[in-house]
Amino acid sequence: MPLRLLPLGGLGEIGMNCLLIERAGDSLVVDCGVRFPGPEMHGVDLVVPDFRPLLARRDTLRGLLLTHGHEDHIGAVPYLLRALPALPVYGSRFTLALLRQKLEEFGQGANLHELVPRASLKLGSFAIEPLRVAHSIPDGFALAITCAEGVIIHTGDFKIDETPLDGEVTDLVRFGELGQRGVRCLLSDSTNAMVTGACPSERSVTPGLAEALREAPGRVVVALFSSHIHRIQQLLDLAAAAGRRVVLNGRRLDQNVTTASGLRLLEIPPGLLLAPEAAGSIPARELLVLSTGAQGEPRSGLVRLATGTHPTLHLEAGDRVVFSSRQIPGNELAIAALQNSLARLGVDVVAEPDHHVHVSGHAYADDQRLILRLVRPHSFIPIHGEARHLKAHREIAMSCGVPGERCLVAYNGDVVELTHAGPRRVEQLEFQRAFLNRATGVGLPEQLMKERQLLAESGLIAIVLVLDAVTGELRQPPALLSRGVLPPDPDAFWKDTQRRVTEELAEMPHALWADFSALEEVAARAVRRYCKKVMERRPLVLPVVVKTHG
Ligand SMILES: [Zn+2]
Ligand SMILES: [Zn+2]
């Protein structure tokens, strides 16, 4: 079997990164993330990849490699391990520490192994070398995966930061060395392919954050990602310098700060942290709250602050909330609602682009060019991005000399073969995702999601047909019940609907009346058609047939 790649997530979307790599007798998975539901995914907490291709390869699967600890890379691991509990999982120290927290919550055991930069690991007929990359979370890796067919470099998520807070720079030297020996295929982070120039250093936000703290007359809340340890470090240092004590608002933030300081990835100035219950005992201008919820997540610490439902903290006019994170696509409305709640309280909102209080953790176009020139890959596949990002990154690769026929934009579910002529799409799996309810862990099937969408958009109409058990005829006109449906002239509409259903049923051959599902279908179709005609809507129609004696 030739060398093949099968993306199960992250290609054609932001989030849910998961890639299968396989060759004769061996396969590997890189990352296993979640994505957050879009506004059309009603009642869904999390979206995870369709694991069936992985389960089908359980005999050849040598391990799961994690590039870093973001949710879109590790969030679905507990769900995968439920199905494949013995699968070995590899990742950096911090990545595994974050994963352990998660697995504990799930009560899920795991077979975890730590990776060290530049230390090669054999997995079946693959050799894996982790390469250090800078990103918006500590201890991230790119992976150089070597097999008989050549070397594949998977960048993970990366940026090029020559002055990172922890001094851990992207290992450009090693990228260059591998490039000199020949790289079969480069898979590279496309998130910021449409942003020109080079991404600024994490340190570039220091002045903006310092100013936001210095000028504020009252409390300052900074909303950020709980895994952005370097941003947290900057804010702890700035708070200490500005004479503010720090309260951590959010369970995950608390956990991550404890984990990171335990691994010495975060240094907490002594006496700086304050318990939330004690926040009321110091003047407002001496308080800095670090908070989760920058994406407007319901029930998050920041939403509770904005809605006045927080048990120990509150905000008032003159306080300030700084959004030190990007808006994940799809969350714009929730974030706007949150900022409106804050504005109603008279709270000052500080955010991009007016204030430089956030910088990306992903390479911009010029950074991507640098990687392409160092690696000089035989072929190129853009990963981690929506279609437009992948397309832009392909063009960047071509501008760096990778021939067009060897640059492939692939999407989730594509089976890609790495041939000598370049990557080729040889098959397309019917692609599915699992929509999860976090509490039950139960996946909602695609059909159910369609029903929920119909319900949300157009409401529900139930139609009840009561048949005489002896004659098999309708005993009364069809009864109609509805929820969330408002026709222009309701009385006329329901009468007309009833009449149309009766007429359509009358046209059915009598022999078919014994078949309830045929009756249901004819009745439902009549209702749907009429709704379409009158309201240009297709409500969910629920037909019910009842047989009655006497
Ligand atoms: Zn990512
Ligand atoms: Zn990431």
Side-chain angles (χ1 to χ4, degrees), residues 33-349:
V34 292
R35 63 168 288 181
F36 297 102
E40 78 288 2
M41 300 178 195
H42 308 282
V44 174
D45 298 316
L46 282 179
V47 187
V48 306
D50 183 348
F51 294 136
R52 283 174 300 176
L54 304 181
L55 304 184
R57 289 162 178 84
R58 60 171 78 224
D59 296 334
T60 64
L61 206 52
R62 304 294 164 222
L64 164 62
L65 301 159
L66 301 174
T67 58
H68 63 286
H70 277 149
E71 284 294 304
D72 57 325
H73 298 260
I74 69 167
V77 175
Y79 301 99
L80 178 62
L81 292 184
R82 246 183 223 167
L84 297 173
L87 183 69
V89 182
Y90 301 85
S92 70
R93 207 144 70 102
F94 188 56
T95 305
L96 294 184
L98 293 183
L99 179 61
R100 262 186 216 106
Q101 286 176 10
K102 196 176 278 300
L103 291 168
E104 261 166 43
E105 286 162 23
F106 279 78
Q108 175 71 54
N111 179 5
L112 307 182
H113 305 267
E114 195 177 311
L115 294 175
V116 177
R118 289 200 182 194
S120 193
L121 163 83
K122 283 281 286 176
L123 284 180
S125 56
F126 293 105
I128 291 97
E129 181 185 344
L131 306 181
R132 173 63 69 212
V133 288
H135 185 38
S136 45
I137 189 170
D139 219 4
F141 287 144
L143 301 169
I145 301 170
T146 305
C147 59
E149 288 84 0
V151 179
I152 297 172
I153 293 184
H154 184 300
T155 64
D157 283 348
F158 77 100
K159 74 183 280 183
I160 291 172
D161 188 341
E162 287 309 308
T163 55
L165 260 87
D166 59 2
E168 295 281 356
V169 294
T170 297
D171 194 350
L172 297 176
V173 172
R174 192 66 185 137
F175 276 94
E177 283 173 6
L178 288 163
Q180 219 140 36
R181 286 193 220 151
V183 168
R184 181 71 183 270
C185 186
L186 173 67
L187 308 167
S188 184
D189 175 13
S190 309
T191 309
N192 280 336
M194 295 169 74
V195 186
T196 53
C199 184
S201 169
E202 171 61 23
R203 284 182 203 271
S204 69
V205 294
T206 319
L209 292 173
E211 195 183 302
L213 252 66
R214 199 169 44 235
E215 283 180 351
R219 297 171 187 82
V220 178
V221 177
V222 177
L224 38 60
F225 279 110
S226 62
S227 60
H228 204 326
I229 302 303
H230 296 150
R231 189 68 49 83
I232 295 169
Q233 181 73 67
Q234 297 211 61
L235 286 159
L236 295 182
D237 295 344
L238 288 169
R244 287 182 187 258
R245 304 281 299 277
V246 176
V247 166
L248 302 176
N249 180 35
R251 189 177 55 93
R252 189 65 82 190
L253 188 61
D254 246 335
Q255 283 179 338
N256 290 353
V257 163
T258 307
T259 302
S261 67
L263 295 176
R264 316 202 61 136
L265 292 167
L266 184 69
E267 266 183 56
I268 307 172
L272 187 73
L273 292 184
L274 191 66
E277 305 80 61
S281 65
I282 62 168
R285 64 172 186 287
E286 289 175 19
L287 185 64
L288 169 66
V289 178
L290 301 187
S291 183
T292 54
Q295 302 300 315
E297 303 96 317
R299 298 187 299 278
S300 66
L302 185 57
V303 166
R304 282 192 286 170
L305 275 175
T307 52
T309 54
H310 196 284
T312 49
L313 298 169
H314 80 284
L315 289 178
E316 58 198 12
D319 292 341
R320 171 175 288 183
V321 174
V322 180
F323 284 77
S324 187
S325 65
R326 78 163 174 148
Q327 303 195 347
I328 295 181
N331 295 344
E332 294 85 352
L333 293 178
I335 295 169
L338 171 59
Q339 295 186 348
N340 283 327
S341 302
L342 293 167
R344 274 196 203 103
L345 290 174
V347 169
D348 187 20
V349 170

